[in-house]
Amino acid sequence: MDATGVACATSPHFLNRRRRVILLNIIKHKQEADIVDHFEIAVVGAGLAGSLAALAFTDSGRSVALIAPAPGRPDGRTTALMDRSLDLVRELGLWDAIAPLTAPLSAMRIIDGSNRLLRAPTVTFHAAEVGLEAFGHNIPNAPFLALLEKEAEKRPSLNRMVASLAQIAFDAKQAILTLEDGRSVTADLVVGADGRKSAVRGAAGIDVRTWSYPQSAVVLNFSHQVPHQNISTEFHTPDGPFTQVPLPGRRSSLVWVQKPEDAASVLALSPDALSLAIEHRMQSMLGKVTVEGEAQSFPLSGMAASVFGKDRAILIGEAAHAFPPIGAQGLNLSLRDIMAALSLLSDLPAIPDDFGARYDRRRRADIVTRTIGVDLLNRSLLSDFLPVQMLRAAGLQALASVTPLRNFMMREGLNPGSALQSLRTTLREKIGRQRA
């Protein structure tokens, strides 16, 4: 001690007291680290499907953890959300913020862009034919994801855990999730929204079937001279679809499916040459084209899980199903996954250990039929077999010529099962009147 009686920093008494304080702090932090937070639902994956699912489950009154690392490379793609999917976006209070960035899809046009002997007629689907102003809206992925991140921060009962998943263990009562930063959480239900290589799917012991296509998709945005009039045009070519989708103003997004070697050649073009190639492929329908930013390319493949839920795990989005970008089916199918889970949860105060099986039964028909339908349509474009070309041309001719059939297909595409249910109701009413 010094003359005042105060312990010096170098005295044994001071050093011992300092060691005790450090030791107590270490013990305190270890105890805090050993405390495991429990959530009703843990969503793994913070892409569009995972983020929307986390928000929807939170707004339904559940405690939710959203687990995923920080976002990586910006996603230059866009997503066309159909009318029913937009209902969910509106219910979550997101529409006013995202609407200025979107463009309505008032009509969808299919053009046979091949030089084959049997060419299908052009078919145009108008939203007004089924009583809608638009089938849906086209939304850029990057600002949509940024909005979802901000919305997650606003919800007190949604815990955004920025970390990768290291391990999952399931038992009859709960799932235990260990993160790579050392934290652990438990949950009554785990929602796998972690993509094609889903760790949740693997931990749940769910098998997966995969297949590939001899195709790659080039995606980009471009401006054009002629207004698109809110019409999306899909050219069916021998290598796959070439799909233009409206953006606000005189701008559009493009998904150009080609052979991998052709996609590589397209990416190697100068901006002017690429713009000219797109204009020629579109038959100059939108006038002069100017490519914006950098084009990206993705190989095309398909995937389907053997089951879409098991015990205390369910799969949504590309953890459950994946197929080529045809007919704006991908994310819309994922949002129907979310809506089905919400519907099942609404009747359950506690989440049972067989929730995965219940979810699988609810989603199986929709996912399987969509996956098969998109796969067959894509393969029909690639096939040089004359009977296949005849069937495809006849089908599109029927859609172009028969208004009731076209309306039926539009309603079924927007809300699966609704057109069939309406048809059954109409037939029952007619039979009832005849008997009366």
Side-chain angles (χ1 to χ4, degrees), residues 386-397:
L386 188 59
V388 172
Q389 295 179 29
M390 291 175 64
L391 284 172
R392 180 177 160 274
L396 288 173
Q397 179 65 62

Side-chain angles (χ1 to χ4, degrees), residues 15-212:
L15 291 174
N16 287 336
R17 187 173 64 181
R18 187 179 180 186
R19 289 191 189 100
R20 284 198 299 272
V21 170
I22 292 172
L23 182 59
L24 287 172
N25 283 335
I26 291 172
I27 294 171
K28 178 183 178 184
H29 288 312
K30 186 178 187 305
Q31 289 173 339
E32 289 175 349
D34 289 340
I35 296 173
V36 177
D37 290 325
H38 179 79
F39 299 90
E40 290 176 277
I41 301 174
V43 179
V44 180
L48 289 175
S51 297
L52 285 164
L55 293 173
F57 295 140
T58 301
D59 287 1
S60 72
R62 303 285 178 171
S63 60
V64 179
L66 175 57
I67 302 168
R73 180 186 180 188
D75 189 344
R77 296 172 295 178
T78 65
T79 297
L81 288 185
M82 297 297 121
D83 185 64
R84 189 180 174 200
S85 298
L86 288 174
D87 287 342
L88 177 61
V89 173
R90 294 186 181 98
E91 289 171 8
L92 296 176
L94 307 174
W95 179 242
D96 289 344
I98 202 67
L101 303 175
T102 74
L105 307 178
S106 301
M108 302 176 74
R109 179 168 51 204
I110 298 175
I111 297 175
D112 191 332
S114 70
N115 294 317
R116 288 168 172 162
L117 177 63
L118 289 175
R119 296 185 64 191
T122 297
V123 182
T124 303
F125 302 92
H126 295 278
E129 292 185 76
V130 289
L132 297 173
E133 292 184 3
F135 290 116
H137 283 70
N138 193 31
I139 305 173
N141 287 3
F144 196 13
L145 275 169
L147 172 65
L148 296 179
E149 284 281 343
K150 291 180 180 178
E151 288 295 320
E153 295 172 359
K154 296 178 182 179
R155 282 147 167 93
S157 56
L158 172 55
N159 190 326
R160 174 67 171 98
M161 308 183 78
V162 183
S164 296
L165 182 69
Q167 182 179 326
I168 310 178
F170 292 94
D171 60 34
K173 295 183 178 180
Q174 62 184 7
I176 304 169
L177 300 91
T178 304
L179 310 187
E180 287 191 349
D181 62 7
R183 287 179 292 176
S184 294
V185 299
T186 60
D188 299 324
L189 176 68
V190 179
V191 179
D194 48 343
R196 298 187 185 213
K197 298 179 180 180
S198 171
V200 174
R201 188 180 64 228
I206 297 174
D207 294 329
V208 64
R209 184 172 67 91
T210 61
W211 59 95
S212 61

